[in-house]
Amino acid sequence: MQIIRDELRCDAVRVTGGDRDRLDTAARYAADAGLEVWYSPFTHGLTQDELLGFLADSAERAERLRRADAGVVFLTGAEISLFTTGFLPGDTLEERTAVLAAPQRLRAALPGLPARINAFLGEAVAVARARQHPVGGRRDGPGASSIAAGHASTPLPHPDKADERRQKT
């Protein structure tokens, strides 16, 4: 972490993973090096309820870092529509990625997907915020402090554009 801070001259690092203890350890090392920690749980094959439980535990761990004066950004997930069951059709990652490769299946899956993801992320942020303990007992206003929350993702391709690219080649 010191190399990231001193030689690469970074002031933040994203730590990501699906092993709670390893993620927590990497985040503590980053905070101890004086880096802002982008705490990013990344899971594969969980249901939405299982992911919420994982995020709740991770948010508690991120909050402990913040209370020890670390700068923390908590990411509620990355590419959850592919790596979490229930957003796209398919029980496995392979089945869900096959949807992306089939424009008609993707076109059928896209309506409602943003609403499902946004609803889940609303729940995930609420779960994360519920684990925060504001400074001085305050949740907002002067003297309050909280973890910034976000989500990392890549936009899904527009199926009509994918069809156009295939027709041109």
Side-chain angles (χ1 to χ4, degrees):
M1 294 297 174
Q2 289 175 341
I3 291 170
I4 291 170
R5 184 194 66 210
D6 297 339
E7 294 184 25
L8 298 177
R9 300 179 196 268
C10 296
D11 59 2
V13 66
R14 179 177 172 184
V15 294
T16 186
D19 182 299
R20 299 167 199 229
D21 293 331
R22 291 177 71 180
L23 181 60
D24 191 49
T25 298
R28 279 187 283 111
Y29 283 136
D32 289 347
L35 296 165
E36 179 180 70
V37 177
W38 285 51
Y39 204 107
S40 181
F42 186 85
T43 60
H44 176 323
L46 299 182
T47 66
Q48 293 175 31
D49 287 340
E50 290 168 335
L51 179 55
L52 283 174
F54 190 91
L55 292 173
D57 179 69
S58 296
E60 289 173 8
R61 293 168 187 248
E63 172 62 10
R64 283 194 293 270
L65 280 177
R66 186 199 60 85
R67 298 219 15 114
D69 291 326
V72 179
V73 174
F74 184 75
L75 298 176
T76 56
E79 310 304 341
I80 62 170
S81 61
L82 285 176
F83 291 99
T84 304
T85 59
F87 292 106
L88 287 171
D91 293 329
T92 67
L93 176 62
E94 293 76 20
E95 291 172 356
R96 291 187 293 275
T97 55
V99 171
L100 299 180
Q104 292 203 3
R105 290 183 66 204
L106 178 60
R107 195 175 293 113
L110 285 179
L113 181 62
R116 287 191 303 275
I117 291 172
N118 287 339
F120 176 82
L121 292 176
E123 247 186 292
V125 168
V127 163
R129 295 264 188 241
R131 270 102 187 130
Q132 294 179 11
H133 306 286
V135 174
R138 299 186 55 161
R139 287 214 173 264
D140 58 4
S145 181
S146 65
I147 296 173
H151 176 260
S153 69
T154 303
L156 289 173
H158 189 281
D160 293 333
K161 299 295 180 189
D163 284 344
E164 289 173 21
R165 283 192 296 274
R166 280 191 192 90
Q167 291 171 3
K168 289 179 182 177
T169 58

